């Protein structure tokens, strides 16, 4: 009997997909063959299906919720397919001309694809088999370096079992003779506030260690990150130039999404470690917005110490934010960064006093805020309400259309959406007006979206725009202002500051 | 009870008269050729034959000569009597013989024949796996106790100031960096560790040895499941220290090159016989040899 291969044996496919660092290129290529076989129907290749799935996988990886959900419910239901889709998506990203000179280590999108792969694989494995795969993996994850006595002769993990006496959940059973410090799981430092190692959660019984299975999951995640790199390398080595150019020519969705993020200023979604000064200032803004008024405020002058206090109190939301807050280690390091980025339009340093003070961003506008859940909410602005009323009677002029489109494209909930989704939602709004023609509106909206200014998304109109004057109820009458009342992201205001020579308080 | 250094004469008398009586009581893995080394510490350094080599106050001697690949060839000691002779007169019976690195012959020196302040054997072993020993020292327990008793601003002033402030230096035995209660506590911990070995680590063969200023706890099972290598011993150390909260010296357990005080040897700094003990109620006063003049 010939030995089973990942191409034709599911268990073997799981083993190679889960532990690629333990296998050679031949086995990994057999795993890919299994994945590609899914796109062969009656002996015929189905390249379009493959590209569609690669695009679906690659674009889904941008969405944090999809990545998170994949850890519970597989996004792709088969290890070979998963390996193929994840590696081909990553290759599409690496081949994007925008990344021509970039190191893969700086491309956030690749990390997102890897995360989707790792989470997906973890949930697939949970659902697969009787736990023997997990035991094989545990043997790899918890094996110790060979010592003077040679390798441990038996299995490292002798079982995965419930141990009610130690609490709920599963435990990995590891004989003391096979134990190493890898098996000592500690309570999370962040939950104990203790930085010299939390309490040991690993338990002992009958000369075995019992390691909480949660540790297996996090160790496996680390392993899988390295494993993905190997899969990617084997896939890259295996693709011919023709295959590669066929793939990149036919794929467009992933490229389009990356381009859009770049156009809309979502640097953090594309780049890891993008401009340090810019990142610091963004985090400072968010920290100041979060800080109680009596601690620090945006647009006020503060000492470095006060700003530092606001940063340390700030609960970072993203990985890039945490890296910034970790990196600001003291008031003096913060002061130094701000001095280094004094030319940034959002930073003003006052050196007249006894100690330097720093102002970040702009003063509040006092405008009433509008919560925008759907596009219709924009009609809460009196000018937009006037426009809505007028459009029932007259066809729009082009300024009206692009005013609308630009406002929408800057709304936070549309920043991650595909153009198709935005167009669909806008058509839904426009269909209320009598002159509505589906084809025409679609064309016009798409035209506005393709109309960038040197690659930057055009700013939404503000209240001082002449074309808006015909709908305006008078700025002194109005409790709102377009730029002050709508929940535009910081990126938009940064663009305002970059483009505007005037004082930041203009609105 | 005598809590002082033994004199040269007392040490010699102990190894000449009293120690040989205990040879039959030694744990069975302690033979002339089992432990990879025996070692002796001197109170004063003794010269070696080669001139440029510094005087030695601690010497290790292999129990076997070995070939280039490290395999045993010729034993250095025929039986334990030979080991006793080496302990009694280390310079005269140095297994290194006439090597330039052997101890200088006392007959050609004005300095007297060196006497062992302490006698050790290697935990690494030719005939069984590396012996597992946990060391619990009264000095550590006393220092922890002082840490808790005394305010932290004394931290920078060194151990002696801390122990003095806690009254430990003045407590019996006076002048030693621990009190008798710390030794008693070490013994209690020793039996706790033995229970842990037996209950949680499935050990059948254990031993608690009074070491003079603390205890050594042994896990002696040799089956594959108990062949703990250095990495397993590090885990054991961490568990004993953190999960079981026992103040052990973790370095000893996980260091294959360690030597341990030979059971029934004399701890000459405190005039106590190192010995296996059966219960936490062991009275350290009973460990003084007969040869010591109280």
């Amino acid at each position: 009997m010939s030995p089973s291969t990942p191409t034709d044996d599911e268990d073997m496919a799981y083993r190679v997909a889960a532990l690629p660092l333990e296998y050679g290129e031949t086995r990994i290529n057999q795993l890919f063959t299994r994945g590609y076989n899914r796109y062969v129907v009656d002996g015929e290749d189905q390249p379009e299906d493959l590209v569609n799935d690669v695009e679906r996988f690659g674009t889904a990886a941008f969405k944090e919720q999809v990545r998170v959900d994949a850890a519970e419910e597989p996004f792709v239901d088969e290890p070979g397919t998963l390996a193929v889709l994840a590696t081909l998506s990553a290759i599409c990203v690496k081949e994007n001309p925008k990344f021509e000179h970039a190191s893969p280590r700086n491309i956030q999108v690749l990390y997102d694809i890897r995360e989707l792969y790792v989470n997906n694989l973890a949930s697939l494995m949970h659902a697969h088999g009787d736990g023997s795969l997990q035991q094989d993996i545990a043997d790899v994850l918890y094996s110790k370096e060979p010592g003077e006595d040679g390798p441990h002769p038996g299995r490292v993990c002798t079982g995965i079992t419930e141990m009610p006496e130690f609490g709920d959940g599963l435990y990995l059973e590891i004989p003391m003779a096979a134990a190493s410090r890898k098996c000592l799981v500690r309570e999370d430092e962040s939950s104990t506030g203790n930085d010299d190692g939390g309490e040991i959660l690993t338990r002992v019984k009958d000369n075995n260690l019992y390691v909480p299975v949660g540790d297996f999951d996090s160790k496996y995640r680390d392993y899988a990150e390295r494993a993905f790199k190997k899969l990617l390398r084997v896939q890259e080595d295996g693709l011919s130039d023709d295959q590669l150019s066929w793939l990149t020519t036919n794929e467009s969705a992933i490229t389009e999404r990356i381009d859009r993020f770049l156009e809309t200023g979502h640097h953090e979604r594309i780049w890891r470690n993008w401009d340090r000064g810019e990142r610091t200032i963004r985090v400072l803004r968010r920290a100041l917005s979060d800080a109680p008024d009596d601690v620090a405020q945006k647009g006020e002058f503060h000492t470095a110490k006060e700003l530092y206090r606001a940063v340390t109190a700030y609960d970072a939301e993203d990985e890039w934010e945490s890296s910034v807050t970790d990196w600001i280690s003291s008031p003096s390091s913060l002061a130094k960064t701000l001095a280094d980025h004094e030319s940034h339009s959002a930073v003003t340093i006052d050196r007249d006093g006894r100690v330097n003070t720093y102002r970040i961003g702009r003063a509040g506008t006092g405008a009433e805020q509008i919560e925008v859940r759907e596009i219709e909410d924009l009609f809460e602005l009196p000018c937009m309400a006037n426009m809505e009323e007028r459009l029932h009677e007259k066809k729009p002029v082009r300024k009206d259309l692009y005013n609308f489109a630009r406002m929408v494209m800057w709304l936070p909930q549309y920043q991650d959406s595909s153009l198709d989704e935005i167009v669909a939602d806008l058509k839904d709004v426009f269909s209320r007006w009598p002159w509505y023609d589906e084809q025409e509106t679609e064309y016009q909206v798409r035209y506005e979206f393709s109309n960038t200014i040197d690659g930057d998304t055009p700013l939404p109109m503000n209240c001082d725009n002449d074309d808006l004057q015909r709908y305006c109820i008078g700025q002194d009458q109005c409790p709102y202002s377009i730029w002050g009342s709508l929940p535009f992201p910081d990126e938009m205001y940064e663009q305002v500051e970059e483009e505007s020579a005037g004082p930041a308080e203009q609105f | 009870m005598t809590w002082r250094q033994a004199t040269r004469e007392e040490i010699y008398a102990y190894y000449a008269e009293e120690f040989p009586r205990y040879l039959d009581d030694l744990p069975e893995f302690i033979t002339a050729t089992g432990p990879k080394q025996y070692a002796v510490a001197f109170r004063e350094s003794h010269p070696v034959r080669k001139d440029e080599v510094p005087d030695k106050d601690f010497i290790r001697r292999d129990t076997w000569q070995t070939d280039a690949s490290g395999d045993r060839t010729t034993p250095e000691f025929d039986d334990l009597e030979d080991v006793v002779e080496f302990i009694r007169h280390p310079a005269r019976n140095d297994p290194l013989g006439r090597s330039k690195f052997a101890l200088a012959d006392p007959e050609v020196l004005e300095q007297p024949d060196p006497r062992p302040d302490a006698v050790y054997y290697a935990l690494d072993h030719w005939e069984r796996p590396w012996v597992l020993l946990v060391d619990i020292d009264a000095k550590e327990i006393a220092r922890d106790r002082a840490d808790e008793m005394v305010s932290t601003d004394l931290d920078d002033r060194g151990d002696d100031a801390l122990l003095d402030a806690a009254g430990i230096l003045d407590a019996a035995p006076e002048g030693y960096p621990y009190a008798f209660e710390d030794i008693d506590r070490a013994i209690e911990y020793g039996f706790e560790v033995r229970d842990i070995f037996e209950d949680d680590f499935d050990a059948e063969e254990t031993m608690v040895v009074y070491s003079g200023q603390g205890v050594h706890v042994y896990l002696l099972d040799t089956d594959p499941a108990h062949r703990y290598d250095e990495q397993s011993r590090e885990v054991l150390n961490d568990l004993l220290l953190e999960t079981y909260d026992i103040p052990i010296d973790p370095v000893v357990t996980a260091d294959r090159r360690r030597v341990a005080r030979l059971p029934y040897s004399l701890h000459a700094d405190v005039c106590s016989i190192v010995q296996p003990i059966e219960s936490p109620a062991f009275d350290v006063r009973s460990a003084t040899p007969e040869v010591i003049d109280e």
Side-chain angles (χ1 to χ4, degrees):
Chain A
M1 202 179 85
S2 60
S4 62
T5 73
T7 309
D8 49 32
D9 182 274
E10 191 182 29
D11 279 345
M12 195 61 194
Y14 269 101
R15 269 180 177 68
V16 176
L19 296 168
L21 297 177
E22 318 308 309
Y23 291 94
E25 290 190 10
T26 309
R27 284 280 183 265
I28 292 173
N29 276 318
Q30 287 165 344
L31 173 70
F32 288 143
T33 302
R34 179 187 184 87
Y36 284 119
N37 282 347
R38 209 181 210 193
Y39 299 94
V40 179
V41 177
D42 297 333
E44 294 281 327
D45 286 344
Q46 306 292 320
E48 281 183 17
D49 291 350
L50 175 62
V51 169
N52 284 341
D53 282 0
V54 169
E55 289 186 324
R56 201 168 63 90
F57 190 94
T59 52
F62 286 109
K63 296 183 178 140
E64 190 187 357
Q65 200 55 49
V66 174
R67 300 197 299 271
V68 171
D69 290 348
E72 301 298 326
E73 183 71 33
F75 181 80
V76 175
D77 62 2
E78 206 282 322
T81 317
L82 175 67
V84 165
L85 297 182
T87 50
L88 291 185
S89 310
I91 288 171
C92 290
V93 171
K94 288 175 78 175
E95 291 298 314
N96 187 313
K98 298 251 170 34
F99 298 135
E100 195 179 343
H101 302 293
S103 158
R105 154 169 115 256
N106 291 332
I107 304 172
Q108 176 62 39
V109 186
L110 291 176
Y111 288 80
D112 294 342
I113 288 173
R114 187 181 69 187
E115 188 186 332
L116 179 56
Y117 169 81
V118 171
N119 287 358
N120 196 139
L121 186 62
S123 63
L124 267 188
M125 290 191 311
H126 273 297
H128 173 78
D130 55 1
S132 69
L133 175 61
Q134 279 81 353
Q135 210 179 327
D136 289 351
I137 296 171
D139 277 348
V140 171
L141 298 182
Y142 293 92
S143 68
K144 57 182 164 193
E145 301 298 321
E148 277 187 59
D149 305 297
H152 169 68
R155 287 203 74 148
V156 175
C157 176
T158 49
I160 300 177
T161 172
E162 289 186 351
M163 298 296 285
E165 61 267 56
F166 301 145
D168 291 340
L170 291 170
Y171 288 82
L172 308 169
E173 181 183 276
I174 295 172
M176 263 305 281
S180 65
R181 283 204 166 116
K182 282 183 197 172
C183 311
L184 288 182
V185 183
R186 289 172 186 278
E187 203 167 64
D188 188 13
E189 288 168 14
S190 58
S191 68
T192 56
N194 195 343
D195 59 2
D196 55 356
E199 187 193 334
I200 294 177
L201 301 176
T202 301
R203 296 284 174 259
V204 190
K205 191 184 177 189
D206 298 337
N207 206 23
N208 291 316
L209 294 183
Y210 288 90
V211 181
V213 85
D215 181 65
F216 169 91
D217 291 339
S218 65
K219 276 203 175 60
Y220 182 67
R221 221 156 272 275
D222 293 343
Y223 174 94
E225 289 180 2
R226 285 179 287 125
F228 183 68
K229 206 181 268 180
K230 179 166 183 182
L231 290 180
L232 182 56
R233 185 178 57 72
V234 175
Q235 180 73 272
E236 282 175 314
D237 291 350
L239 285 189
S240 68
D241 288 347
D242 285 350
Q243 286 170 319
L244 187 62
S245 72
W246 176 86
L247 176 69
T248 51
T249 312
N250 286 281
E251 179 282 320
S252 63
I254 299 172
T255 308
E256 205 172 85
R257 188 66 55 92
I258 290 170
D259 291 348
R260 220 177 103 62
F261 280 137
L262 289 170
E263 281 160 18
T264 51
H266 280 276
H267 304 294
E268 75 278 9
R269 318 243 351 210
I270 299 297
W271 299 110
R272 251 175 133 72
N273 306 323
W274 41 288
D275 183 78
R276 181 176 271 179
E278 184 67 41
R279 279 186 292 160
T280 307
I281 289 156
R282 272 200 211 180
V283 167
L284 271 175
R285 278 196 174 136
R286 293 179 188 185
L288 290 174
S289 301
D290 270 18
D293 284 354
D294 57 340
V295 174
Q297 288 178 52
K298 224 155 47 167
E300 304 285 331
F301 280 98
H302 291 290
T303 62
K305 205 171 174 180
E306 288 165 339
L307 293 177
Y308 178 72
R309 210 178 297 146
V311 170
T312 50
Y314 177 61
D315 200 4
E317 284 176 18
D318 301 318
E319 207 183 316
W320 73 265
E321 289 190 358
S322 309
S323 76
V324 171
T325 53
D326 289 350
W327 181 73
I328 300 175
S329 57
S330 63
S332 59
S333 80
L334 178 57
K336 184 174 180 315
T337 310
L338 291 174
D340 288 347
H341 294 87
E342 194 175 359
S343 59
H344 193 288
S345 59
V347 177
T348 315
I349 305 182
D350 180 357
R351 293 190 165 82
D352 290 342
R354 203 167 46 81
V355 289
N356 292 349
T357 55
Y358 307 83
R359 185 177 66 187
I360 308 298
R362 54 200 166 268
T365 61
E368 223 171 295
Q369 299 297 302
I370 293 174
E371 194 183 355
V372 183
R373 289 174 191 278
E374 45 199 341
I375 299 176
E376 277 86 348
D377 292 336
L378 292 174
F379 298 135
E380 196 178 330
L381 288 169
C383 51
M384 293 300 282
N386 283 343
M387 182 165 92
E388 202 264 346
E389 207 173 313
R390 183 183 158 89
L391 290 177
H392 280 288
E393 296 154 18
K394 291 202 180 254
K395 285 187 99 171
V397 295
R398 186 173 159 238
K399 292 280 172 58
D400 295 334
L401 262 178
Y402 83 55
N403 181 13
F404 217 101
R406 288 178 183 188
M407 251 182 214
V408 169
M409 71 172 82
W410 278 108
L411 289 175
Q413 63 266 48
Y414 286 103
Q415 303 268 302
D416 296 351
S417 309
S418 69
L419 184 52
D420 288 343
E421 287 170 61
I422 298 177
V423 171
D425 285 2
L426 274 172
K427 284 200 299 197
D428 196 37
V429 174
F430 280 41
S431 64
R432 71 182 61 211
W433 290 305
W435 42 263
Y436 173 71
D437 173 276
E438 193 191 342
Q439 299 298 321
E440 199 179 338
T441 299
E442 167 137 359
Y443 170 80
Q444 286 170 333
V445 173
R446 283 185 188 278
Y447 178 79
E448 294 306 340
F449 271 83
S450 66
N451 207 6
T452 59
I453 299 170
D454 297 333
D456 281 333
T457 306
L459 294 170
M461 288 180 179
N462 71 6
C463 299
D464 296 318
N465 186 289
D466 290 343
D467 295 294
L468 261 178
Q469 292 307 310
R470 66 193 129 133
Y471 300 126
C472 182
I473 61 167
Q475 284 184 49
D476 50 344
Q477 303 284 317
C478 185
Y480 302 96
S481 87
I482 296 177
W483 285 2
S485 299
L486 296 181
F488 293 129
D490 283 349
E491 290 88 322
M492 193 218 69
Y493 297 107
E494 277 152 27
Q495 202 169 309
V496 174
E497 283 157 6
E498 279 158 23
E499 288 176 19
S500 155
E505 288 83 355
Q506 62 182 326
F507 50 90
Chain B
M1 178 164 76
T2 302
W3 214 266
R4 59 164 172 82
Q5 277 195 338
T7 63
R8 282 176 50 79
E9 291 69 28
E10 287 167 338
I11 293 171
Y12 182 75
Y14 177 75
Y15 286 109
E17 298 164 25
E18 211 166 330
F19 178 68
R21 283 190 284 180
Y22 293 118
L23 289 182
D24 290 344
D25 298 333
L26 277 173
E28 60 184 24
F29 62 92
I30 300 180
T31 60
T33 53
K36 290 194 172 172
Q37 292 181 329
Y38 281 96
V40 177
F42 306 125
R43 200 164 289 165
E44 276 138 23
S45 300
H46 191 83
V48 301
R49 287 167 199 256
K50 191 171 161 65
D51 285 344
E52 306 90 273
V53 176
D55 297 355
K56 302 281 188 193
D57 62 3
F58 180 78
I59 56 164
R60 288 169 176 262
R61 292 295 180 257
D62 292 342
T63 54
W64 287 81
Q65 291 174 20
T66 50
D67 62 18
S69 52
D71 293 327
R72 287 179 279 179
T73 54
T74 318
E76 294 289 359
F77 305 106
D78 286 336
D79 50 33
L80 278 171
E81 293 299 330
D82 283 356
V83 178
V84 174
E85 282 307 304
F86 168 57
I87 295 169
R88 268 189 206 146
H89 297 289
R92 222 182 293 161
N93 300 301
D94 191 340
L96 286 185
R98 305 204 58 78
S99 150
K100 283 186 288 187
F101 295 95
L103 296 175
D105 188 335
E107 286 173 18
V108 304
L109 294 173
E110 289 177 10
Q111 281 176 303
D113 199 3
R115 295 277 184 262
D117 214 29
V119 179
Y120 303 93
Y121 71 99
L123 294 173
D124 204 5
H125 206 276
W126 285 113
E127 286 150 13
R128 54 151 286 149
W130 173 22
V131 176
L132 196 159
L133 175 153
V134 167
D135 180 32
I136 303 172
D137 194 325
K139 290 196 286 286
E140 287 297 315
I141 292 170
R143 217 195 44 188
D144 285 356
R145 191 157 65 88
D147 270 341
E148 279 177 25
M149 288 168 69
V150 179
S151 67
T152 48
D153 58 346
L154 274 165
D155 267 2
D156 304 337
R157 288 173 38 197
D159 285 354
D160 276 357
L162 196 65
L163 294 170
D164 198 24
I168 290 171
L169 292 182
D170 287 338
E174 290 85 357
Y176 285 81
Y178 49 82
F180 280 122
E181 65 174 284
D182 298 309
I183 301 185
D184 290 341
R185 188 76 191 98
I187 292 171
E188 285 169 22
Y189 277 130
F191 284 93
E192 278 180 47
V193 171
R194 188 188 69 171
D195 290 345
I196 292 165
F197 281 171
E198 290 175 356
D199 295 343
D200 292 346
F201 293 92
D202 281 358
E204 288 182 359
E205 208 182 328
T206 57
M207 180 166 72
V208 180
V209 171
Y210 167 60
S211 65
Q213 303 188 102
V215 289
H216 296 155
V217 193
Y218 288 78
L219 194 168
L220 293 167
D221 296 43
T222 56
D223 60 301
H226 286 96
R227 269 177 216 157
Y228 299 168
D229 65 0
E230 187 181 332
Q231 295 171 75
S232 293
R233 289 168 195 235
E234 287 171 353
V235 170
L236 176 67
N237 278 337
D238 290 356
L239 291 169
L240 288 175
L241 281 164
E242 297 182 46
T243 302
Y244 296 101
D245 211 13
I246 310 266
I248 62 165
D249 177 355
V251 179
V252 178
T253 320
D255 181 1
R256 194 188 285 268
R257 291 274 300 153
R258 278 282 162 160
V259 291
R261 279 182 189 273
L262 180 69
Y264 302 108
S265 65
L266 184 68
H267 192 313
D269 286 339
V270 293
C271 288
S272 270
I273 303 173
V274 174
Q275 57 191 290
I277 57 177
E278 294 304 325
S279 130
F282 173 74
D283 180 2
V284 297
R285 290 151 222 263
S286 67
T288 308
E290 295 162 11
V291 297
I292 302 288
D293 288 331
E294 298 237 17

